[in-house]
Amino acid sequence: MSLTQKLQHSLTENLPYEELLPAEQPAYVHSYVYLFGIATVASFVLLILSGIILSLFGPQWWHSSNVGHFVNSLHFWSVQAFFFFMVVHLWTTFFQGGWRDGRGVTWVSGVITFGVSILTAFTGYLSQQNFDAQWIAVQGKDALNAAGVGAFFDIMNFGQMYGFHILILPLAVGLLISTHLLLVRLRGVVRPYPPRSEPKETVR
Amino acid sequence: MIARKKEYYRGIPTAPYDLVKEFLGALIVVTVLVFILSAVLSSPDEPPLTIKQIAGQDPQGFAQTAINELSGSSGIAGYGPPYNNASGSVQEIGPFSPQRWIGVHIPVNTARDYILGPLSQVGITNPALSRALAQYNRAASSRQTAWTGAYTAALSKGSVHGPKLSVPRCACGPVPIMMSMMLLLGQSGALDGQLLTGHQYYRTDYTRPLLFLADAGAVANHAAQFHLIGTQWGVMNETGNYPGQAWLWLYTMFYQIWPFNVAPLATTAADLGPVVAIAVLTLLLMLVPWIPGLNRLPRYLGVYRLIWRDYYRSRPVAAPEKPEAQP
């Protein structure tokens, strides 16, 4: 069997369209608690769209344009929404023991996504080209220098931070979110904790 | 549903589910929310500080910063890696000091980069300045130290009239001429451009001008007005009462609590301590599925009963809950 055929076979077995885009789910998924993950994704979409508009006109546009300032506001509040929904999603998934039954890697991908998102937001605050950006840069440099990272990741270097913020890190976050979603689809949502003694759960 | 999942969900009722509709619904709701917040609250945009501003508003403070940079007694001159080989701001926890291990990668020579370099660019058009620079550069380092020391003493007795600074006469050699020109460069705005890092035509690296502003104390003084400094939990907000990076609350909390806010960590590892703490906690969070005890915490806390209350209500009555077998 060729590599292509092996991949075809694996996808057909594990991730056919009916699993990638399921039309039915366990009934307990019909709860508002399960909306925070998709709300996080929706916020990320808004971040990308507003970010694209901001980058179309250059990093200084929004300082002198009312329309630009509004688009910046959309981007700013999308960040707040993104993290609000992501943190609630993290806690609800924690309380559900969402890593059970072989979902450990899904959990890990979520934590890594959280970490990389924090870094993305950090570079965004540094790219504002206003006093907030100056302050965060001169303050944050000490922590990064102490960790030995400041020598290579110079938060006072606007060009470097802007490049990380508009390209490298959004790509990374997008790939991580996609991986996370694929893993969720591959395994399905975790079952509720059993109400009485049942075969013990495993984490693989 | 594929066979593997059917087996996993055996005994659990399923229901129709429109994933695309859910995503579109979430997108509309979040978009409306963000549009409303943007229209009502806007976003912060406090203009950046410039060297021109601080030189105009506080000429004596600016001159003090400039003489400190020239004499090598400024905060950045004594900082250490990645800027130079000093040790004033090098952090360590015992033998653990990544800052020292990595070394100098962004070299900053404060005398050359902030004073002698910018002055030599304008010295071409100013014969008196050109002679002063030549005299300074020819002198032995002990003579230079004596001049800068004498100027610092005289500066403390100086007087300010608007943007003008008067410094009493002193045995300072060519330093008064150099500092007067530095003040002119600062107040004209020329220094803001001259300090942009790099020798290319296109420059985007603000490391050197930002470090100069940091040395002047201007950024910290301005930040205090907006409740942005560390002891004010400044990470949590931006200027103008806007939310900052509230998700960094745990990281910034470490700066305020024992053992990070008292000696010895507060002096030797004021930042390194919280960074290590948050790194360890992040690793723990990532490895929760495999950490005995932690991975069963949700079961013991029981919040899941609220999340799945409808599911448990709809199940047949069962025997009282027994603790699950350990994995």
Side-chain angles (χ1 to χ4, degrees), chain A residues 19 23 25 27 30 34 63 69 72-73 77 94 101 107 131-132 134-135 142 145 154 185 189 191 193-195, chain B residues 2 5 8-9 13 15-17 42-43 45-46 49 79 83 207 228 239 244 285 298-299 308 312 318 321 324:
Chain A
E19 295 303 326
Q25 287 282 279
H30 279 284
Y34 286 84
H63 296 290
H69 197 138
N72 181 76
S73 302
W77 289 106
F94 175 81
D101 304 332
W107 172 265
F131 176 69
D132 280 301
Q134 284 182 319
W135 171 242
D142 297 322
N145 290 341
D154 182 2
R185 291 271 61 82
V189 294
R191 283 187 311 215
Y193 279 104
Chain B
I2 56 176
K5 280 193 186 163
Y8 181 71
Y9 294 121
Y17 194 82
S42 189
S43 54
D45 196 18
E46 180 70 19
L49 282 181
Y79 191 95
Y83 311 124
T207 303
L228 296 179
T239 52
L285 183 68
R299 180 61 145 157
W308 289 312
Y312 291 125
E321 284 188 35
E324 287 180 337

Side-chain angles (χ1 to χ4, degrees), chain B residues 271-295:
Chain B
D271 297 285
L272 187 59
V275 165
V276 168
I278 209 71
V280 168
L281 285 180
T282 303
L283 199 60
L284 278 175
L285 183 68
M286 202 183 306
L287 298 175
V288 154
W290 297 279
I291 299 176
L294 263 187
N295 60 6

Side-chain angles (χ1 to χ4, degrees), chain A residues 122-157:
Chain A
F122 186 55
T123 54
Y125 278 93
L126 290 166
S127 300
Q128 294 179 97
Q129 293 198 317
N130 56 17
F131 176 69
D132 280 301
Q134 284 182 319
W135 171 242
I136 292 168
V138 301
Q139 271 292 88
K141 75 176 191 310
D142 297 322
L144 285 149
N145 290 341
V149 168
F152 311 106
F153 189 75
D154 182 2
I155 61 176
M156 292 172 287
N157 184 336

Side-chain angles (χ1 to χ4, degrees), chain A residues 9 11 16 19 21-22 39 41 51 60-62 75 77-78 96 98 103 114 134 142 145 152 159 167 169 198:
Chain A
H9 181 72
L11 286 172
E19 295 303 326
L21 288 173
V41 174
Q60 289 165 323
W61 170 60
W62 70 280
H75 198 67
W77 289 106
S78 296
Q96 291 170 325
R103 290 163 178 77
F114 184 44
Q134 284 182 319
D142 297 322
N145 290 341
F152 311 106
L167 180 63
L169 290 172
E198 286 187 17

Side-chain angles (χ1 to χ4, degrees), chain B residues 42-66:
Chain B
S42 189
S43 54
D45 196 18
E46 180 70 19
L49 282 181
T50 61
I51 296 173
K52 178 179 177 181
Q53 259 176 295
I54 65 166
Q57 289 165 7
D58 183 12
Q60 192 166 17
F62 173 86
Q64 184 64 62
T65 304

